[in-house]
Amino acid sequence: MNKAKRAAVIAGNWKMNKTPAEAKALLEEIIPLVADAKCEVVACVPYVDLQIALETAAGTNVKIGAENVHWAEKGAFTGEISAPMLVAMGVPYVIIGHSERRSYFGETDETVAQRVRAAIDAGLKVILCVGEYLEQRKEGVTMEIVRKQVKVALGGVSAEELKNIIIAYEPVWAIGTGLTATDDQAAEVNHAIRELLAELYSREVADATTIQYGGSMNAANAEGLLSKEDVDGGLIGGASLKPADFAAIVKAASK
Ligand code: PEP
């Protein structure tokens, strides 16, 4: 089974939720519940929570990530955070290209690619988000859209560098809406992404790359989605703020 060739990763995306004190409390609830996970567990938190999250998760199996990163190393970019800054703090993961960044903050495939480049150069592990809008799915162009997003974001990324990239397929219509892609819809797009990686790199590289699904994954639907051959984990928004639900998803990925 090819699934055995790659790591299953369950990552929470806390979005703009939790003060530092609340983040500490939430992580303290999550950590014991996922201590025996047989998959990688990540919590991506707001910038202001990174320090306390790193301290709270130190010595546990929960890794910490940021939710975005700028492409420049430093300079006149008021309000932004660079990849070397995250690395200096000891942050291992970063989400790039989340649909909320694309929809509300003008993120494009090109700026996503620049951020990926900066993150990889600095030594971060990237969770690269791609996915189509509902109108695009209805128009039947999902695969074209997702293929372009992946292709542009990975432009210039070598096979060696790809080892530090997880791709998260997140249909925009399923994020925070309670609408989930069916197991087969998720599997179909994840499979297409893997085939694209085989074209761009090689079969071996494609089989070794972790491809998550994200979009209203929860305790009830995780097992079905994660049972699919090409679904190697999940990027979890709402349910990552609920310790029991997040732990149930981690458990489903640990089977
Ligand atoms: C996300 O924020 O990446 C996400 C998938 O959110 P939700 O699980 O709430 O749909």
Side-chain angles (χ1 to χ4, degrees), residues 25-77:
L26 177 55
L27 272 173
E28 282 173 347
E29 273 196 76
I30 289 172
I31 286 166
L33 298 179
V34 301
D36 59 357
K38 292 187 185 65
C39 63
E40 179 101 342
V41 182
V42 185
C44 296
V45 306
Y47 290 133
V48 295
D49 296 339
L50 285 169
Q51 188 59 46
I52 193 82
L54 287 163
E55 287 166 19
T56 308
T60 77
N61 61 329
V62 176
K63 306 280 189 317
I64 301 300
E67 298 176 11
N68 189 26
V69 68
H70 197 263
W71 55 80
E73 262 184 51
K74 59 183 173 180
F77 298 100

Side-chain angles (χ1 to χ4, degrees), residues 13 15 98 100 170 174-176 214-217 235-238:
N13 172 19
K15 312 195 190 208
H98 191 278
E100 287 151 18
E170 298 210 304
I175 297 178
S216 299
M217 194 187 274
L235 183 54
I236 321 297

